Every structure is written in structure tokens, then in C-alpha cells.
Amino acid sequence: MFHAGQTVLIISCKDDPRAAGRTGRIVDEIPPGPLTEGRWTVDRISIWIAPVLCRAAELQAID
């Protein structure tokens, strides 16, 4: 389970494969639901990569 502001490593990401191997921060303050199909919103990846939606299995907590 992740929490808002937590730094994560993006292992892979179907939403945008360019995000794989980069770090970002979780945006969601509550666990994701059906609207995002259970995917977490990750932001602050890169100036060239918009926020992405990733499944929990695609993310690894850093802090």
C-alpha cells in the first residue's frame, strides 16, 4: 500500500513505457478505485513525462 507523497521506483508502466526505471511520487491520497482500474497516479517523473497510472506490481517503494 502506498500513500500520497511517497517516492516510488517505477519498475514498468503500461501507461507510458518511458517512465520505467525512473522515480516519481504517489499523488493519490486514498487507494485507487474502479475509475483508474486500481492503478496509482505517479507524478514528478520528468519534465517530459506527464503523470502516469501504474499498478501496484509495477511500483516499488523507496521511502
Side-chain angles (χ1 to χ4, degrees):
M1 182 75 73
F2 302 104
H3 57 80
Q6 184 175 16
T7 303
V8 294
L9 172 65
I10 302 168
I11 298 168
S12 65
C13 182
K14 281 181 131 180
D15 193 36
D16 190 342
R18 298 177 302 158
R22 298 178 183 259
T23 59
R25 290 190 185 243
I26 298 291
V27 175
D28 306 306
E29 294 187 10
I30 59 171
L35 182 64
T36 61
E37 299 175 355
R39 297 177 293 172
W40 293 91
T41 307
V42 183
D43 194 8
R44 296 187 185 175
I45 302 164
S46 166
I47 192 169
W48 306 111
I49 301 175
V52 295
L53 295 172
C54 299
R55 301 203 180 279
E58 298 175 320
L59 303 173
Q60 179 181 358
I62 292 180
D63 60 3

